[in-house]
Amino acid sequence: MELPQDPFMLYSMINMKLRDQYASLDELCAAEDIDRSELERRLSEAGFEYEASVNQFR
């Protein structure tokens, strides 16, 4: 999957997929062939952290 370069577009797209299609970040990353650590690093640099309890980046 080609991830958006803009961190806010990335944040929006990932949260939409987590809300609508995947029960966890691990499931999303496995299904979409995304490097979880790279995704978390990019979103962390923009101020977002994954919260497993709500299955969303905030």
Side-chain angles (χ1 to χ4, degrees), residues 6-55:
D6 179 89
F8 296 98
M9 292 296 293
L10 178 61
Y11 164 79
S12 178
M13 182 190 81
I14 294 298
N15 273 348
M16 179 188 68
K17 287 185 172 289
L18 287 169
R19 181 188 69 235
D20 297 343
Q21 298 175 333
Y22 299 105
S24 71
L25 184 57
D26 286 330
E27 185 182 320
L28 180 148
C29 290
E32 302 283 347
D33 194 29
I34 296 171
D35 181 317
R36 179 179 172 150
S37 60
E38 175 66 13
L39 175 64
E40 288 186 294
R41 182 193 63 76
R42 287 180 57 193
L43 288 171
S44 177
E45 287 175 355
F48 303 111
E49 297 295 326
Y50 180 66
E51 290 187 32
S53 63
V54 293
N55 194 35

